[in-house]
Amino acid sequence: MSVNDLVLVQGMHDTKLALSRWNENPFAVLRSWAVLSTLISVGLLMAVYLIAELTPPDATRYVIPGVTQEATLTDYGHVLFRNSLVLALHGLACVAGFMAGSSLPLSAAHRTGLSRWVHEKAGPLAIAFVACATLFSLATQAFVIGGTAASLATQLGSSPGHLMLAITPHALPELIALFLPLAAWMIASRRGDWHELLAATFVTVAIAIPVLLAAAAVETWVTPQLLLDLAS
């Protein structure tokens, strides 16, 4: 058996063991992920609100489905596409954590010379890269969404506070679902349970998909009415 085959077999074995163990008490595992994901989501929403309050609105006129034009299935598809990209990014971060923290060290143990050195150093560097990329993504989202929120609130004749109140019913569950893989990554990294991250990717993405489908529907057809009601 080659080194790569051994790594694949060990990875699938670890994944099956993790899924089997979690199945004995699923709520304990899901609760820790959900709590951390909720904290991240609330923190991002608060950051967006603060930035929206501090950012001078510009004169950009935004197209708002359900407000400036009728909301359609195409608009629903755009929301799903946008969220699917973010979920894929966070899911891949989980997979990268599994490879960097579990697969690469196992592979390195069966190599020699330069190949072993590269595999030993690649893991920590990959983990650091994922962490930095995630922090950069969160900061960028907060500033971009916050600035857009300031302009949207002005366009609607409302305030950032009212705008945040209107979008929270869809934004909070949406963000919690999107950040589930990231929460699993953070918890596993703290415990050193890198070998469980492939299983965590499967579970968190499977949970997130139906939540995102529902949240996108609320964002497309319910949130616009809330925006109009709060702006009036």
Side-chain angles (χ1 to χ4, degrees):
M1 180 180 295
S2 68
V3 173
N4 290 334
D5 290 337
L6 179 62
V7 170
L8 178 61
V9 170
Q10 184 62 47
M12 296 308 298
H13 178 67
D14 289 337
T15 299
K16 291 178 181 178
L17 287 179
L19 291 174
S20 177
R21 185 173 67 258
W22 294 345
N23 193 48
E24 297 175 359
N25 189 9
F27 294 107
V29 179
L30 295 176
R31 183 172 59 249
S32 61
W33 293 343
V35 168
L36 182 54
S37 181
T38 300
L39 291 174
I40 297 172
S41 302
V42 171
L44 179 58
L45 288 174
M46 292 178 63
V48 168
Y49 169 70
L50 290 174
I51 292 170
E53 285 283 6
L54 297 173
T55 302
D58 58 41
T60 302
R61 304 295 294 181
Y62 291 92
V63 175
I64 310 173
V67 177
T68 61
Q69 65 181 33
E70 183 180 356
T72 65
L73 284 175
T74 300
D75 299 311
Y76 177 69
H78 287 163
V79 174
L80 285 179
F81 178 71
R82 178 195 68 205
N83 288 337
S84 67
L85 292 179
V86 179
L87 180 62
L89 173 65
H90 293 169
L92 288 174
C94 248
V95 175
F98 168 78
M99 295 175 62
S102 180
S103 294
L104 284 177
L106 180 61
S107 181
H110 295 82
R111 297 177 184 271
T112 59
L114 180 61
S115 177
R116 176 166 186 160
W117 183 86
V118 170
H119 280 73
E120 288 177 341
K121 301 302 180 182
L125 289 175
I127 292 169
F129 174 80
V130 171
C132 292
T134 301
L135 290 174
F136 177 78
S137 175
L138 289 174
T140 302
Q141 289 180 65
F143 278 101
V144 171
I145 298 174
T148 303
S151 300
L152 281 175
T154 301
Q155 178 177 334
L156 293 169
S158 183
S159 67
H162 284 162
L163 180 67
M164 297 302 297
L165 186 62
I167 70 172
T168 295
H170 82 258
L172 186 57
E174 176 183 279
L175 290 173
I176 291 173
L178 290 174
F179 288 134
L180 272 180
L182 178 60
W185 187 95
M186 294 174 67
I187 291 173
S189 66
R190 187 174 68 247
R191 297 174 178 173
D193 294 333
W194 301 105
H195 59 286
E196 296 183 350
L197 277 178
L198 193 58
T201 304
F202 295 144
V203 174
T204 54
V205 171
I207 293 172
I209 289 174
V211 176
L212 293 178
L213 289 171
V218 174
E219 180 176 355
T220 304
W221 289 290
V222 178
T223 299
Q225 188 58 51
L226 293 176
L227 288 170
L228 292 172
D229 291 342
L230 288 173
S232 60

